[in-house]
Structures are given as structure tokens and as C-alpha cells.
């Protein structure tokens, strides 16, 4: 992308600047990037960097700064801003001070009073007051541009308030202000996304590096498919030190945020339906879990060797349940996962310098995977993880052998645990162990069951869940747990799979709810009209939950919003079950 001589110059500059920063912070053990203004510390810094005096150090510093600035200007070149009467007016008003609410009302802001307060408070904030002269000049240029861009949105109030929050967060990093001033397209994308989604605005504000994703709209609104994600993640991690877990964890988190942003931007723009959005979000999670397993496994075998079993190597797999298993992830979804291994003998040991019993080895592998995913680093967490669906729940072993898992499913599992298995799929691990899980899943779900007893147990569990989890009230409908909502559809599908899988094995080829509904029609287990009603309701509910999630709102709607769909769901479930 860049000529080799440019890369060499930038690398030298980066090394010089970083080393200077390290030495500068070492003087008083303080987090600072400000050059000293006293002779003693100037001499200390210059000498520690290998120069005879301060002037020589400054000359080299200026050289590197000029080299970097020259390349920066080449890549992020200022774009000419057309003369804009409205912009000039907002520039004039900003320079003289906002005092008149009517100006904002006339411009089109619905909650002009709140917008006025935000615009008046921002210059008085501690962060803005600490800006350098250059930083303050950029800030004063940017705000009128921001106002102009916000007024182009359907909801200018959300656009300006959320964008101002972002600007306050990054104001002291002048490179971001310069980027937004010099690249109008980036500013436009930022304001648009802030206007359309509180969740996206929050993500960009908390993690300003995401601003880089707005540089090219072609990639922003074009999410990657599974193989492309795997390749991109591998490339992103390839240059990191193999033994630096913290850098790897931060990189995984940055990857997730960047590519989830692409998906969210595409859904908001109506380029993706909710089910397709979930496909992409699930693909991102699958890639990250696979890479996490690889990182954790490599670490353990370096210390303890491989878990050999006589003539082969014991293998491991990760099984996803719930939304992850059903390929139905949303924004902020956690991961329900279970760990399985195929070691046959509890006395077998790994073959390294510090050998471990296989059960302990795989237990530590599961713990390390959870740590990598859930640790709260400066880049946040990757996902929340729930591993309670394992045999025995929270009281059971974190990692089970396939034999123990199968025995539990046959002898001890409740019906609701078999329901959960309907949406379970292996997402990471050795192909043989993943195939082994799928075989066990098919065998368990294909057991012939007493239809009446099955119906009773499924209905009892659904009633218990609704009593404890349904947030519906007189005027509020809980999209997930409410009567006629998402979980009712899921329970009916799970009942149908458990009821008929012994006769129709193809029902087990998918873990998705919508594909399973279509299979019920294929095998005349459900009328096509009923399937269509349930599918329409499921899509509508999920689309609404995604929309609410992107506004940081719970999955609750006004009671009459989905009246017809709810009644249809209740009617179909009553007839079919």
C-alpha cells in the first residue's frame, strides 16, 4: 500500500517518538507526552536518547515530525470545502456564542433547549479548556461543521448531542479533529451513524479507533463473510508477538468491534435483514472463538506438551448453544458454550516437560478460553460467557469427556436440556471431535419420546420461564418472554423436533429456527400457512429486538404493536402442540 522507503521512514519515526516518550515518562514516572521546559530535564532526555545536547535532539525530532506530517498530508489530504452559506452562519454564531434558542428552533432542532445547553456547556468543560491553541482552533472549526451535518439527518437532535459527546471524548487527540475537518465524508458518516443508533454512538465514543472504519464507505457497508473474516483475523494477529497474550486479547476485541460496526451500519442502512445480520454476527463470533481456542491451546502445549492417547492425540471442541448455536446472535449477545474432549482414560498424561493429567489439561484449557474471552482489558471484554448448560450446570465439571456428556444426556438430562440441544452446534476444535459431538446430538435428539409426556414437560418449563422472566405488563409486551413472543415460537419448534426427529432425521440438519419451520412444512408436520405466520412473527420480533438493541433499549414494546402476530402465534401453538 505504501512504498518501501516511506515505510522505513515512518518506522524509524515511530521508534524515535515512542522511545522519546518512554524516556520522558521515566524522568518523573509520570504519564506525559509534553517535552520538558527546564535545562536539566532537557539535557537528561537528550543524553538518554544518544545526543550531546538539547539542540541536536530537537533537530532530529523536528526531522521525524516533518517526515510523518508529509506522509500524513499525502494520505489524508485536506479536501476543499465548498462555500456554504449555512456553514458560514453557524461559524459566526459559534464564534460569538450561542445565546438564542430560537435560532436552533428555526434550524429544525426539536429539543432546542437541550441542544443549546450542550453547545453552551461543551466549551466550558475541563477537557476543552485544556486544549492547546492549535487544538482549540480545530475544535472551533469542527463544531459548525458538525451542526451543519446534524441538520441533514432525520433526527438532528440525536445527531448533534451524540456527536458532541464523541467530540468531547477525543478533543485532546487533535489528529481526530483534523481527520473530521479534512475528510467531510468521515464526518458525514459519523454524524449519520450517531443519529441512527445510540449503540453505535456509544461504541465509537468509548473506542475512538473505530473512526478508522468510517474512512471508506465501500467497506463500512460491506460486511465480510466467514472465510473472509477468518483470513482478516489471521492477518491482523500475524504481526503480534506470539507470547504477548495481552496484545492478542486487545487485537481480538478491536477486530470484533470493527466488524460488528460494519454489520450494524449495514443493518441500519437496510442493506441487511435481521436474520442475515445474525448470520454475520454469528460468523464474527465463530471466528473469534476458533482463534481464542488456538491461542489458549498453543500456550498450554508449550508448557505441558500434547495430550497423547496411545496411538493418537486427544482432541477438544467448543459447542455453542442458544443464540450462538442457532446462528441468531444480536448486538450484545453473550455466548452459551460447552467444552468437550475425547480423552478416554482419566490417568493419561500430556507428553511435555511439565506433564498434566488430561482432565486437568483440558480443564485449564477451558478456563483459559473463558479468561481470554471475558477478561476486561483496556479494550473491554470480547463476550460475556455462560457455561452453565454443561452437564450438571454450575456444579458440574467445566470440561466433560464425550463419554460423560453422552451418559449425562441419556440418563440424567431434563427435557429442557434436550430442547437446548436442538440449537447446539460445534463451532471450534478438531474436525473429528466436532463430528463426534454432532453424532451424539443426533443420537440423543432422535430418541423416540412419549408425545403427551413431552408436551407436558415442555409446557411446564415454558410456564415456569414466563412466570419468572416475562417483563410484560398491561401496556408493555416482552418480545422475548411474553405470551406469543419469541420464546413461545422457539419452544414449539423444539417440541416439534423432539417429537418427530426419530421419524424425520433431516430435522436435525439445522439448528436455526426458521429453517426448521420450513422442514416441518416439507414433511407435512405443519401447514404452510401456519409456518408462514410463525416465520413472519419470528422475523418481525427479531427485527424489532435488533432495532431496540441499536438504540440501547430493552426488548419491550407497546402492548398493541404486534397484536395480530401474537394472536397468530398463540393460535398456531395451541393447534400444533
Amino acid at each position: 500500500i505504501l512504498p518501501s522507503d516511506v515505510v522505513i521512514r515512518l518506522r524509524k519515526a515511530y521508534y524515535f517518538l515512542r522511545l522519546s516518550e518512554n524516556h520522558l515518562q521515566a524522568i518523573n514516572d509520570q504519564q506525559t507526552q509534553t517535552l520538558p521546559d527546564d535545562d536539566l530535564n532537557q539535557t537528561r532526555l537528550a543524553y538518554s536518547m544518544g545526543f550531546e545536547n538539547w539542540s541536536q535532539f530537537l533537530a532530529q525530532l523536528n526531522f521525524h515530525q516533518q517526515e510523518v506530517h508529509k506522509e500524513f498530508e499525502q494520505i489524508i489530504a485536506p479536501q476543499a470545502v465548498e462555500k456554504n452559506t449555512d456553514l458560514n452562519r453557524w461559524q459566526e454564531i459559534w464564534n460569538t456564542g450561542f445565546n438564542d434558542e430560537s435560532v436552533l428552533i428555526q434550524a429544525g432542532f426539536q429539543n432546542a433547549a437541550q441542544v443549546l445547553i450542550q453547545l453552551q456547556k461543551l466549551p466550558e468543560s475541563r477537557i476543552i479548556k485544556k486544549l492547546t491553541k492549535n487544538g482549540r482552533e480545530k475544535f472551533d472549526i469542527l463544531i459548525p461543521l458538525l451542526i451543519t451535518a446534524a441538520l441533514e439527518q432525520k433526527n438532528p437532535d440525536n445527531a448533534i448531542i451524540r456527536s458532541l459527546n464523541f467530540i468531547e471524548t477525543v478533543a485532546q487527540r487533535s489528529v481526530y479533529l483534523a481527520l473530521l475537518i479534512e475528510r467531510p465524508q468521515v464526518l458525514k458518516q459519523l454524524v449519520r451513524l450517531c443519529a441512527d443508533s445510540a449503540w453505535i454512538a456509544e461504541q465509537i465514543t468509548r473506542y475512538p479507533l473505530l473512526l478508522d472504519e468510517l474512512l471508506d464507505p465501500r467497506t463500512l457497508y460491506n460486511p465480510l463473510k466467514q472465510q473472509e473474516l477468518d483470513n482478516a483475523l489471521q492477518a491482523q494477529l500475524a504481526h503480534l508477538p506470539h507470547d504477548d497474550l495481552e496484545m492478542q486479547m486487545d487485537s481480538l476485541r478491536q477486530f470484533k468491534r470493527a466488524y460488528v460496526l460494519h454489520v450494524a451500519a449495514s443493518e441500519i442502512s437496510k442493506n441487511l435483514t435481521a436474520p442475515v445480520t445474525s448470520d454475520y454476527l454469528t460468523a464474527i463470533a465463530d471466528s473469534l472463538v476458533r482463534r481464542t481456542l488456538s491461542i489458549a491451546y498453543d500456550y498450554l502445549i508449550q508448557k505441558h506438551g500434547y495430550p497423547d492417547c496411545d496411538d493418537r492425540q486427544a482432541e477438544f471442541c467448543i459447542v455453542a448453544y442458544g443464540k450462538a448455536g442457532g446462528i441468531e446472535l444480536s448486538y450484545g449477545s453473550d455466548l452459551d458454550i460447552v467444552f468437550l474432549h475425547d480423552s478416554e482414560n482419566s490417568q493419561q498424561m500430556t507428553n511435555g516437560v511439565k506433564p498434566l493429567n488430561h482432565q486437568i489439561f483440558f480443564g485449564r484449557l477451558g478456563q483459559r478460553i473463558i479468561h481470554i474471552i471475558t477478561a476486561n482489558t483496556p479494550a473491554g471484554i470480547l463476550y460475556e460467557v455462560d457455561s452453565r448448560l454443561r452437564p450438571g450446570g454450575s456444579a458440574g465439571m467445566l470440561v466433560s469427556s464425550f463419554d460423560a456428556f453422552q451418559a449425562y444426556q441419556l440418563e440424567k438430562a431434563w427435557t429442557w436440556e434436550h430442547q437446548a440441544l436442538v440449537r447446539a452446534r460445534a463451532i471450534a476444535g478438531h474436525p473429528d471431535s466436532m463430528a463426534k459431538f454432532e453424532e451424539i446430538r443426533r443420537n440423543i435428539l432422535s430418541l423416540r419420546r412419549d408425545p403427551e409426556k413431552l408436551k407436558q414437560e415442555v409446557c411446564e418449563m415454558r410456564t415456569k420461564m414466563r412466570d419468572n422472566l416475562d417483563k410484560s405488563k398491561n401496556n408493555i409486551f416482552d418480545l422475548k418472554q411474553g405470551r406469543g413472543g419469541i420464546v413461545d415460537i422457539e419452544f414449539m419448534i423444539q417440541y416439534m423436533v423432539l417429537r418427530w426427529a426419530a421419524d424425520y432425521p433431516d430435522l436435525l440438519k439445522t439448528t436455526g429456527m426458521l429453517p426448521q419451520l420450513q422442514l416441518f412444512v416439507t414433511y407435512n408436520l405443519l401447514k404452510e400457512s401456519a409456518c408462514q405466520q410463525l416465520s413472519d412473527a419470528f422475523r418481525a420480533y427479531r427485527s424489532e429486538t435488533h432495532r431496540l438493541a441499536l438504540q440501547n433499549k430493552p426488548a419491550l414494546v407497546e402492548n398493541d404493536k404486534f397484536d395480530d402476530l401474537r394472536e397468530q402465534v398463540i393460535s398456531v401453538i395451541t393447534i400444533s402442540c
Side-chain angles (χ1 to χ4, degrees):
I1 298 173
L2 291 173
S4 59
D5 61 318
V6 172
V7 172
I8 292 170
R9 290 199 299 270
L10 290 176
R11 186 169 310 199
K12 287 180 178 178
Y14 187 82
Y15 180 81
F16 181 87
L17 293 166
R18 274 295 190 206
L19 194 60
S20 299
E21 179 188 48
N22 291 345
H23 288 209
L24 177 62
Q25 294 179 356
I27 293 176
N28 292 314
D29 192 23
Q30 291 181 341
Q31 187 76 14
T32 180
Q33 288 83 26
T34 304
L35 292 173
D37 54 9
D38 62 289
D39 291 340
L40 176 59
N41 284 326
Q42 286 178 351
T43 303
R44 281 174 171 158
L45 179 57
Y47 184 75
S48 71
M49 290 292 293
F51 298 93
E52 291 184 4
N53 55 56
W54 181 244
S55 296
Q56 289 183 5
F57 170 79
L58 273 186
Q60 188 65 22
L61 175 64
N62 288 333
F63 169 77
H64 285 305
Q65 288 179 315
Q66 290 169 10
E67 289 293 308
V68 172
H69 184 69
K70 179 174 66 177
E71 299 306 327
F72 183 87
E73 289 292 309
Q74 288 292 322
I75 295 168
I76 307 180
Q79 298 180 11
V81 179
E82 295 180 8
K83 289 186 178 180
N84 185 315
T85 304
D86 287 340
L87 176 59
N88 293 337
R89 184 167 69 94
W90 289 117
Q91 187 75 65
E92 183 179 342
I93 294 172
W94 176 253
N95 291 338
T96 57
F98 270 96
N99 298 306
D100 190 356
E101 184 180 321
S102 63
V103 174
L104 297 172
I105 296 173
Q106 292 170 4
F109 290 106
Q110 298 299 311
N111 193 346
Q114 184 181 357
V115 174
L116 179 62
I117 291 171
Q118 289 288 102
L119 289 168
Q120 289 175 333
K121 282 173 55 180
L122 186 57
E124 301 303 315
S125 75
R126 180 179 57 85
I127 292 175
I128 303 304
K129 283 186 173 182
K130 290 176 65 177
L131 290 178
T132 63
K133 180 181 178 182
N134 180 261
R136 181 59 197 243
E137 288 175 355
K138 286 184 171 63
F139 173 77
D140 287 334
I141 292 171
L142 179 58
I143 297 303
L145 291 170
L146 203 65
I147 296 170
T148 304
L151 286 168
E152 296 174 359
Q153 308 305 314
K154 291 180 180 178
N155 192 327
D157 299 67
N158 284 344
I160 189 67
I161 290 171
R162 294 168 184 169
S163 298
L164 289 175
N165 289 336
F166 170 77
I167 297 303
E168 183 175 11
T169 300
V170 302
Q172 291 187 318
R173 307 181 205 181
S174 60
V175 65
Y176 286 126
L177 304 186
L179 176 63
L180 293 171
I181 292 169
E182 296 166 0
R183 296 291 290 272
Q185 186 66 29
V186 176
L187 177 64
K188 183 177 181 180
Q189 296 297 336
L190 170 69
V191 174
R192 177 187 177 189
L193 292 173
C194 285
D196 290 345
S197 170
W199 182 84
I200 291 180
E202 179 187 83
Q203 290 292 302
I204 297 177
T205 301
R206 289 180 64 187
Y207 307 104
L209 275 174
L210 288 173
L211 203 62
D212 291 348
E213 305 304 318
L214 311 187
L215 288 169
D216 188 351
R218 293 170 299 177
T219 58
L220 176 62
Y221 298 100
N222 186 26
L224 299 184
K225 294 182 172 61
Q226 186 71 76
Q227 188 59 54
E228 296 170 324
L229 286 166
D230 290 342
N231 294 340
L233 182 54
Q234 182 177 353
Q236 181 168 312
L237 293 170
H239 71 284
L240 299 181
H242 187 70
D243 58 351
D244 195 328
L245 180 61
E246 186 175 345
M247 286 185 68
Q248 292 172 331
M249 289 166 63
D250 280 348
S251 189
L252 292 174
R253 285 149 176 74
Q254 290 160 6
F255 181 90
K256 178 200 172 182
R257 265 186 279 281
Y259 287 98
V260 169
L261 175 63
H262 290 199
V263 175
S266 298
E267 185 174 22
I268 283 175
S269 302
K270 302 193 184 322
N271 293 338
L272 300 178
T273 62
V276 176
T277 295
S278 291
D279 290 347
Y280 279 110
L281 294 175
T282 305
I284 292 169
D286 288 357
S287 291
L288 290 165
V289 171
R290 281 195 293 272
R291 181 56 58 174
T292 297
L293 170 57
S294 176
I295 293 170
Y297 190 74
D298 287 348
Y299 170 82
L300 284 172
I301 62 172
Q302 291 295 324
K303 294 184 68 176
H304 306 293
Y306 290 93
D308 284 344
C309 277
D310 299 327
D311 59 343
R312 65 180 184 85
Q313 185 175 306
E315 300 295 352
F316 179 92
C317 81
I318 301 175
V319 177
Y321 281 74
K323 287 184 177 180
I327 316 179
E328 294 163 3
L329 284 183
S330 181
Y331 310 96
S333 293
D334 60 4
L335 299 182
D336 295 309
I337 54 179
V338 168
F339 305 119
L340 301 172
H341 70 83
D342 68 352
S343 179
E344 298 169 352
N345 188 327
S346 62
Q347 301 306 312
Q348 289 173 319
M349 307 291 287
T350 60
N351 64 5
V353 177
K354 298 179 180 178
L356 283 179
N357 174 282
H358 282 190
Q359 186 63 44
I360 296 174
F361 175 87
F362 287 119
R364 290 187 183 179
L365 179 57
Q367 290 170 347
R368 194 160 185 82
I369 290 167
I370 291 176
H371 168 72
I372 292 172
I373 295 175
T374 63
N376 196 356
T377 75
I381 68 168
L382 198 55
Y383 292 96
E384 295 284 356
V385 167
D386 189 343
S387 60
R388 291 174 297 177
L389 284 170
R390 64 185 185 267
S394 299
M397 299 282 287
L398 179 62
V399 183
S400 300
S401 69
F402 280 110
D403 289 344
F405 178 78
Q406 182 167 256
Y408 178 86
Q409 292 291 340
L410 284 170
E411 301 166 11
K412 298 180 180 179
W414 297 80
T415 296
W416 67 264
E417 291 177 283
H418 289 173
Q419 288 179 243
L421 203 58
V422 171
R423 301 174 76 192
R425 64 188 178 92
I427 60 172
H430 192 276
D432 290 346
S433 62
M434 295 171 72
K436 177 68 172 175
F437 166 75
E438 295 299 342
E439 180 185 359
I440 293 174
R441 174 180 177 270
R442 283 196 305 274
N443 291 341
I444 297 300
L445 296 181
S446 297
L447 294 173
R448 199 167 293 281
R449 295 167 170 84
D450 180 335
E452 290 306 315
K453 182 182 178 184
L454 175 65
K455 182 187 298 185
Q456 179 183 348
E457 291 175 345
V458 170
C459 290
E460 285 176 355
M461 177 52 69
R462 181 67 195 108
T463 301
K464 184 177 180 180
M465 282 184 67
R466 188 182 293 119
D467 290 344
N468 285 278
L469 300 175
D470 186 6
K471 297 181 179 65
S472 299
K473 299 178 182 177
N474 291 336
N475 59 338
I476 296 294
F477 170 49
D478 185 334
L479 286 163
K480 184 175 180 181
Q481 295 290 346
R483 184 166 173 76
I486 292 174
V487 177
D488 275 2
I489 299 173
E490 291 173 348
F491 265 56
M492 192 209 103
I493 294 171
Q494 290 158 12
Y495 161 77
M496 295 277 285
V497 171
L498 293 176
R499 168 70 177 83
W500 294 107
D503 298 308
Y504 304 99
D506 281 357
L507 296 180
L508 304 178
K509 284 185 175 180
T510 178
T511 61
M513 299 291 96
L514 291 173
Q516 281 168 338
L517 280 173
Q518 290 300 322
L519 287 171
F520 296 157
V521 175
T522 300
Y523 293 106
N524 295 316
L525 303 175
L526 190 66
K527 289 184 178 180
E528 188 169 355
S529 59
C531 170
Q532 190 63 52
Q533 289 173 338
L534 292 179
S535 298
D536 289 346
F538 197 69
R539 288 190 183 93
Y541 294 159
R542 285 180 57 196
S543 179
E544 185 69 7
T545 59
H546 281 210
R547 187 189 70 79
L548 292 169
L550 287 169
Q551 301 306 329
N552 282 336
K553 294 180 179 180
L556 305 172
V557 296
E558 293 182 4
N559 204 38
D560 58 354
K561 182 161 189 178
F562 294 110
D563 265 354
D564 291 343
L565 289 177
R566 289 171 63 192
E567 291 303 320
Q568 289 171 4
V569 170
I570 293 169
S571 174
V572 172
I573 290 175
T574 302
I575 294 171
S576 302
C577 297

